[in-house]
Amino acid sequence: LLSQAALGCRAAQVLMQYCILANHYWFLVEAVYLYKLLIGAVFSEKNYYRLYLYLGWGTPVVFVVPWMAAKYLKENADCVCPCTVSPSQINLLIFMRILKVILAKLRANQKGYADYKLRLAKATLTLIPLFGIHEVVFIFATDEQTTGVLRYIKVFFTLFLNSFQGFLVAVLYCFANKEVKSEMKKKWQLWKLDH
């Protein structure tokens, strides 16, 4: 029989695996949604909100439950949930397709913008944290395989990018967005009038 501490530890480990996978699958939802906006919005007006919710919150359960059962039955200390590879690789493919579309649009409007390469670089750098592309860099370098300086580099980049990812996305897509700034300014002025 498991002690309360061991049970709590295992529950925390399962919850952590679920949250990590949910994070990866929400990257995938963001990538699919943006791709749909760029490519498929012309062809379909259907709302995929419910499908996005199932993909982001439900898909991790499909992988975590068997992992949890295998962990419970075998107690494999090196058991790693393998499904983080799939969303990251799909995101990388969608990322490359979106960059191709952005490049084509920037080249088509090259007359208006002489700095289209700079604009492409900006678009690329803003999409990396949104899609979680930084996860692909060390996807095949597992903790067991990396040693020495490579391990320190991997740990630094993983911790740094994962820690500031939400902040980067908030800054790039919320606080730096002209529409959001305009709405915030309106709300601030309304609040000042009320007080």
Side-chain angles (χ1 to χ4, degrees):
L1 211 67
L2 287 173
S3 69
Q4 269 190 323
L7 190 61
C9 181
R10 288 187 182 182
Q13 188 179 22
V14 169
L15 182 62
M16 184 185 73
Q17 286 296 329
Y18 173 80
C19 290
I20 289 170
L21 281 177
N23 185 40
H24 285 268
Y25 278 97
W26 276 106
F27 289 152
L28 180 60
V29 168
E30 291 167 351
V32 168
Y33 179 73
L34 184 60
Y35 185 74
K36 182 185 166 298
L37 285 178
L38 285 174
I39 310 295
V42 177
F43 304 111
S44 174
E45 293 296 321
K46 188 176 178 184
N47 186 354
Y48 293 102
Y49 182 71
R50 192 174 296 241
L51 180 64
Y52 295 150
L53 285 174
Y54 290 141
L55 181 62
W57 294 119
T59 306
V61 172
V62 172
F63 295 104
V64 169
V65 169
W67 173 81
M68 183 176 63
K71 189 86 168 153
Y72 177 76
L73 294 173
K74 300 291 183 182
E75 193 44 61
N76 182 1
D78 294 330
C79 185
V80 175
C81 206
C83 28
T84 56
V85 173
S86 178
S88 297
Q89 289 175 336
I90 294 169
N91 278 359
L92 183 61
L93 294 174
I94 293 172
F95 175 73
M96 291 189 301
R97 293 282 312 249
I98 288 174
L99 286 181
K100 187 176 174 182
V101 170
I102 291 171
L103 180 61
K105 288 183 179 188
L106 287 174
R107 279 188 178 160
N109 295 332
Q110 189 175 357
K111 296 170 194 142
Y113 304 107
D115 62 340
Y116 83 95
K117 289 181 182 177
L118 181 64
R119 293 169 59 95
L120 177 64
K122 183 181 174 189
T124 303
L125 291 175
T126 56
L127 288 175
I128 287 173
L130 182 67
F131 285 7
I133 299 301
H134 61 277
E135 297 285 341
V136 177
V137 174
F138 292 107
I139 203 160
F140 297 110
T142 63
D143 288 338
E144 293 81 20
Q145 293 173 335
T146 55
T147 57
V149 176
L150 180 61
R151 183 175 181 88
Y152 291 123
I153 292 170
K154 177 187 186 281
V155 168
F156 172 77
F157 277 106
T158 302
L159 290 176
F160 180 80
L161 293 172
N162 286 341
S163 298
F164 290 104
Q165 177 184 10
F167 176 73
L168 285 172
V169 170
V171 167
L172 294 172
Y173 293 97
C174 294
F175 305 125
N177 186 310
K178 290 178 187 173
E179 294 168 4
V180 173
K181 283 188 203 177
S182 171
E183 286 300 315
M184 294 289 283
K185 193 174 185 178
K186 286 179 193 174
K187 293 290 183 187
W188 176 251
Q189 289 172 350
L190 285 173
W191 183 82
K192 280 179 22 180
L193 287 174
D194 288 343
H195 291 73

